[in-house]
Amino acid sequence: MPETAKKTTNKYARLLTNTAVFTVGKLLSKLLTFFMIGLYTAFMTEAEFGTAELITGIANLLIPLACVGISEGIFRSAAAKDGDKEAFFTNGLLIYGVGSVVFLCLIPLMTLIPRFADSVWLIAAYVVVANLHTVVSQYLCAIGRTKLFAGQGILNTALVIGFNILFLPVLDFGVTGYVCSTILADLATTVFLILVTRLWRAVKPRSISRHTVASMLKFCLPLVPTTIFWWITGVSDRFMVEAMCSAELNGLYSVAYKIPNLLIYAISIFDSAWKLSVSSEEDPEACSVFYTRVCRIYTTLAFLGGGALILTCRLFAELLFAGDFVQAWVYIPVLTFATVFCALCTFLSSVYFASKRTLWSMITAVVGAALNVTLNFLLIPRYDAMGASIATFASYFAVCVLRLITTRRLIPFKQEWLRGGVNTLLLGALTAVVTLSESHFPHPALAWGIAGGIFALMLAFNLRAVLELLKDGVRMMKRR
């Protein structure tokens, strides 16, 4: 076997192993969280749920700002084959500490925003604790403690569920209980990780240096505006729906996002393993072959996964949503279509991550955010929350095309535009039929029959690729 092919085979097997480990931990965690939707919709009103989502949404916007995205810098630096891992962790903690102090000094300014005046310190606690949890867990993942990383995800989810059960149905804390559940779970999980790994031994104050801090900031600073603009694309529509329509409609729109989040959960599992693999890759030729193979796997599963969610979205809504929340199902198909392209954008962003060209990630995110806000202003007044869904899809689609074009200059890998184009047309047709099934078809059963036929075509079109990928996966694992 040629040396390059052998290296690619080993890396592919390692990627599968890491993905399997993360799947055990993250998938279980995400599924448990997913089935909590019934609890949220049963014990919170549409307006309360919408408010809770806005608070966590604004907190997630502030998370990278508070520590300048240093968790990504720690992960990328510590996962590389060379360098002092403990030095990267120590310098990263310093940046986190300074950033958190500055953030806490500035957070009282949020009281000037009436919408969040009563939630300022709740948001502050959410941000500071979430950042610490991410810094610690990402470092442990980067140094190879992948099983512990997966296990702490299960622990964190179990704690969130426990606190939610205590705070919502038992104590009736409403929005505050919803947010505090995550804060307390993150804090407890972080303490657990520090104690189990005796992480304080990895802190080496003498390793703090201006050069290390500068190199880490050079990598992660462009990711901060990237995250902000990505947040604008994915979350700002909820603020605009509430402002232009109502809190109740935003509650419905927010809960509709929970079904496409299943695809996001799967992405996050793979993304953790994928970044760990590409961060240690140094051979450009092997990297190109590696990307080509994995890209085909990723895109095929993303389209088929999105199609399956769209086809079953009404069933999910009936089973998981309570009361009036069920009507939110109509937004799920378009949001899922958008999420598929969000998944593709996430994969392509790993090219910028691996090549340390994060500026390109920011540029493409700016384009997506600008397009999203513009379309929201144009479409929400006319089509309500459906306009926001369409704007989200258009933004992710545009960013995906831009990243397909720009990433070829950094890592030349086969992108299969024809396969992607056919899958896009089929998934778009499936989205349209399901969305319009009850409003534009004489009999809904006819629409669902057509939708099933379209999904069957998608399966047939991708069947050979899926079989080849499964065969390759089994062969790689045997060789390993």
Side-chain angles (χ1 to χ4, degrees):
M1 180 185 292
E3 186 65 24
T4 298
K6 185 176 181 180
K7 288 182 179 180
T8 303
T9 298
N10 293 335
K11 292 181 182 300
Y12 187 51
R14 191 181 307 117
L15 174 62
L16 289 176
T17 301
N18 287 335
T19 302
V21 171
F22 292 140
T23 297
V24 172
K26 283 195 169 186
L27 184 60
L28 178 58
S29 300
K30 299 302 183 182
L31 284 176
L32 289 172
T33 302
F34 179 73
F35 287 111
M36 288 295 289
I37 297 173
L39 180 73
Y40 302 146
T41 56
F43 291 94
M44 301 176 74
T45 66
E46 292 96 327
E48 284 178 332
F49 187 78
T51 298
E53 287 289 291
L54 291 182
I55 289 175
T56 55
I58 198 70
N60 286 323
L61 169 65
L62 296 173
I63 282 173
L65 288 174
C67 70
V68 294
I70 194 58
S71 61
E72 294 286 356
I74 292 174
F75 181 89
R76 180 63 181 87
S77 301
K81 292 180 180 179
D82 56 347
D84 186 342
K85 300 180 187 301
E86 292 181 345
F88 291 130
F89 179 61
T90 302
N91 284 272
L93 273 181
L94 174 65
I95 296 171
Y96 160 77
V98 173
S100 296
V101 170
V102 173
F103 169 73
L104 291 174
C105 290
L106 296 176
I107 193 67
L109 294 175
M110 280 198 69
T111 57
L112 300 176
I113 305 174
R115 190 69 178 81
F116 299 106
D118 296 330
S119 314
V120 167
W121 294 109
L122 196 62
I123 293 171
Y126 188 106
V127 170
V128 173
V129 174
N131 270 329
L132 181 60
H133 177 217
T134 304
V135 164
V136 170
S137 60
Q138 288 288 83
Y139 172 72
L140 293 173
C141 180
I143 63 174
R145 303 292 296 271
T146 53
K147 292 181 180 179
L148 178 61
F149 177 78
Q152 65 88 30
I154 298 176
L155 172 63
N156 184 262
T157 303
L159 289 170
V160 170
I161 292 173
F163 285 125
N164 268 317
I165 292 173
L166 175 64
F167 292 151
L168 293 179
V170 178
L171 299 178
D172 194 23
F173 282 179
V175 173
T176 301
Y178 179 92
V179 179
C180 282
S181 295
T182 302
I183 297 172
L184 294 176
D186 280 350
L187 182 60
T189 305
T190 304
V191 172
F192 166 79
L193 289 175
I194 293 173
L195 293 177
V196 167
T197 61
R198 298 182 180 181
L199 198 56
W200 56 83
R201 297 186 300 182
V203 180
K204 308 293 183 182
R206 291 185 179 181
S207 67
I208 294 175
S209 74
R210 183 179 301 176
H211 173 73
T212 303
V213 168
S215 65
M216 294 178 75
L217 288 176
K218 182 180 179 181
F219 172 80
C220 63
L221 276 176
L223 294 175
V224 175
T226 299
T227 304
I228 294 172
F229 288 117
W230 210 235
W231 177 91
I232 291 173
T233 303
V235 181
S236 65
D237 50 356
R238 303 178 205 184
F239 287 87
M240 298 177 76
V241 167
E242 178 171 297
M244 297 181 183
C245 302
S246 68
E248 288 74 20
L249 183 58
N250 180 53
L252 295 175
Y253 185 65
S254 295
V255 82
Y257 258 107
K258 298 298 182 181
I259 304 301
N261 276 352
L262 278 175
L263 193 57
I264 296 295
Y265 297 158
I267 294 167
S268 68
I269 293 170
F270 177 81
D271 192 50
S272 297
W274 179 235
K275 283 186 176 179
L276 194 59
S277 297
V278 299
S279 294
S280 59
E281 179 57 74
E282 297 175 351
D283 183 351
E285 184 179 356
C287 191
S288 180
V289 175
F290 193 31
Y291 260 93
T292 296
R293 176 175 288 178
V294 174
C295 181
R296 194 178 190 203
I297 297 173
Y298 192 94
T299 53
T300 298
L301 296 181
F303 277 108
L304 289 179
L309 282 180
I310 291 171
L311 193 62
T312 57
C313 68
R314 182 63 188 266
L315 176 63
F316 274 120
E318 294 284 354
L319 291 174
L320 297 172
F321 300 167
D324 292 338
F325 281 97
V326 173
Q327 60 187 303
W329 80 269
V330 72
Y331 306 119
I332 296 174
V334 179
L335 288 175
T336 303
F337 194 19
T339 302
V340 169
F341 283 91
C342 176
L344 301 181
C345 290
T346 300
F347 176 81
L348 293 170
S349 71
S350 68
V351 176
Y352 306 133
F353 187 88
S355 59
K356 296 186 177 181
R357 300 290 292 274
T358 49
L359 182 61
W360 274 108
S361 184
M362 182 188 74
I363 292 171
T364 54
V366 168
V367 174
L371 181 61
N372 180 259
V373 172
T374 301
L375 291 177
N376 276 331
F377 274 115
L378 294 174
L379 298 178
I380 291 177
R382 185 169 182 178
Y383 301 108
D384 295 329
M386 186 58 72
S389 304
I390 296 170
T392 299
F393 163 73
S395 303
Y396 285 136
F397 181 81
V399 173
C400 183
V401 172
L402 285 175
R403 290 188 174 182
L404 282 169
I405 295 171
T406 57
T407 51
R408 287 186 63 85
R409 303 174 184 176
L410 304 176
I411 299 178
F413 64 98
K414 190 175 181 180
Q415 296 178 340
E416 298 190 318
W417 283 73
L418 179 60
R419 176 179 293 277
V422 173
N423 274 318
T424 299
L425 290 175
L426 290 173
L427 191 62
L430 178 61
T431 300
V433 170
V434 173
T435 302
L436 302 174
S437 61
E438 295 193 359
S439 59
H440 288 70
F441 281 82
H443 300 287
L446 174 63
W448 290 103
I450 294 173
I454 295 172
F455 186 68
L457 285 175
M458 290 186 67
L459 284 173
F461 180 71
N462 291 282
L463 182 60
R464 183 177 178 182
V466 171
L467 293 176
E468 288 177 355
L469 296 174
L470 290 174
K471 186 177 179 180
D472 283 348
V474 172
R475 184 168 63 248
M476 296 304 114
M477 292 303 292
K478 285 183 178 180
R479 286 176 179 171
R480 191 169 191 267

